[in-house]
């Protein structure tokens, strides 16, 4: 028999033409039986309590007839689980809000951050991260904790790493496994906007603008 960490009830059908008894071999209190003895065919409800723990657990049930014929049933209950669909979040210097991050768990959890420049918004099984503008000359690094809060044994938390670029900072896109056009629309008509000049300048580097654009790192 296999249970999730939340426990539940599973029916076990006994087929016999004699009297029988049932017990938990190691005396585990997290398993209970609706019947521990009887005669003839019957269904026994096996109930597992909540396992609010980071550790799985096992036990063995023994069903035995009056003439010492035994059947052993191994019972396994999983621990709490927790996962997210990303481990890194990247912001440009201007800040903004991330895409929704999905949390998978069978427990109760919290999402927190010690960073004053980050804020969290939760909704059902997802959350978003919002970063304020980074007007400094250095990139900012932060962390977010996703932690199970209903555990009675052990602790479990995931760490989400957050990076925010500084003005003029650079970054590497890591999500290409093969060659792609630079723009994400899949054609050659990309565009580039340069702001911050006091007057109009030619974009090419042969003029006084002195501006260059370098794109590297593609396979």
């Amino acid at each position: 028999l296999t249970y999730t960490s939340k426990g539940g009830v599973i029916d076990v059908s006994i087929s016999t033409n004699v009297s029988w008894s049932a017990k938990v071999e190691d005396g585990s209190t997290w398993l209970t039986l609706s019947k521990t003895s009887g005669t003839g065919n019957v269904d026994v409800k096996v109930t597992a309590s909540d396992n609010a723990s980071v550790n799985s657990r096992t036990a063995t049930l023994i069903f035995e007839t009056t003439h010492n014929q035994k059947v052993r049933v191994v019972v396994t209950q999983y621990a709490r689980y927790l996962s997210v669909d990303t481990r890194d979040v990247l912001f440009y210097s201007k800040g903004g809000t991330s895409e929704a991050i999905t949390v998978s768990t069978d427990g109760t959890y919290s999402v927190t951050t010690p960073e004053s420049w980050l804020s969290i918004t939760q909704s059902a099984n997802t959350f978003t991260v919002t970063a304020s503008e980074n007007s400094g000359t250095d990139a900012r690094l932060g962390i977010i904790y996703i932690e199970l809060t209903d555990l009675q044994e052990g602790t479990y938390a995931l760490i989400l790493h957050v990076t925010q670029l500084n003005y003029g900072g650079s970054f590497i896109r890591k999500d290409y496994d093969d060659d792609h056009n630079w723009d994400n629309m899949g054609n050659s008509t990309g565009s580039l906007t340069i702001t911050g000049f006091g007057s109009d300048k030619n974009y090419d580097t042969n003029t006084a603008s002195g501006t260059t654009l370098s794109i590297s790192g593609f396979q």
Side-chain angles (χ1 to χ4, degrees):
L1 309 181
T2 302
Y3 295 86
T4 69
S5 75
K6 286 294 189 178
V9 180
I10 298 178
D11 285 338
V12 175
S13 296
I14 298 176
S15 298
T16 182
N17 57 358
V18 296
S19 298
W20 56 269
S21 62
K23 66 179 181 179
V24 182
E25 185 175 40
D26 62 357
S28 297
T29 57
W30 57 275
L31 282 178
T32 57
L33 307 177
S34 60
K35 295 181 176 66
T36 56
S37 62
T39 301
N41 298 343
V42 68
D43 286 344
V44 176
K45 295 184 181 299
V46 181
T47 302
S49 61
D50 182 34
N51 183 22
S53 167
V54 296
N55 300 306
S56 60
R57 54 191 180 185
T58 60
T60 302
L61 305 178
I62 296 181
F63 297 88
E64 184 176 7
T65 66
T66 52
H67 57 281
N68 297 324
Q69 183 183 9
K70 294 181 180 181
V71 175
R72 285 181 167 83
V73 178
V74 177
V75 182
T76 301
Q77 186 174 25
Y78 296 125
R80 286 283 198 271
Y81 70 88
L82 176 67
S83 65
V84 292
D85 61 355
T86 186
R87 286 296 178 92
D88 298 281
V89 178
L90 173 68
F91 289 102
Y92 295 108
S93 58
K94 67 184 295 184
T97 300
S98 71
E99 295 181 353
I101 299 168
T102 301
V103 179
S104 299
T105 184
D106 58 353
T108 303
Y109 67 94
S110 65
V111 184
T112 59
T113 178
E115 319 300 343
S116 60
W117 51 278
L118 294 176
S119 60
I120 309 295
T121 302
Q122 288 186 243
S123 176
N125 65 329
T126 65
F127 68 93
T128 57
V129 185
T130 300
S132 61
E133 184 178 17
N134 179 14
S135 57
T137 58
D138 296 320
R140 295 196 289 202
L141 303 177
I143 54 176
I144 294 171
Y145 296 105
I146 304 99
E147 184 174 11
L148 290 173
T149 58
D150 62 344
L151 294 177
Q152 297 178 5
E153 178 184 277
T155 59
Y156 194 88
L158 302 175
I159 296 179
L160 193 67
H161 296 279
V162 182
T163 302
Q164 185 178 25
L165 303 176
N166 56 300
Y167 277 103
S170 61
F171 68 97
I172 299 175
R173 293 204 59 167
K174 302 177 181 178
D175 53 343
Y176 293 109
D177 293 325
D178 49 22
D179 288 344
H180 282 265
N181 291 326
W182 182 59
D183 67 290
N184 285 335
M185 299 304 294
N187 57 52
S188 61
T189 56
S191 63
L192 174 70
T193 301
I194 301 175
T195 61
F197 291 101
S199 58
D200 290 341
K201 301 284 185 182
N202 290 324
Y203 173 62
D204 66 277
T205 58
N206 293 323
T207 68
S209 70
T211 302
T212 58
L213 173 66
S214 176
I215 301 171
S216 62
F218 292 99
Q219 294 178 345

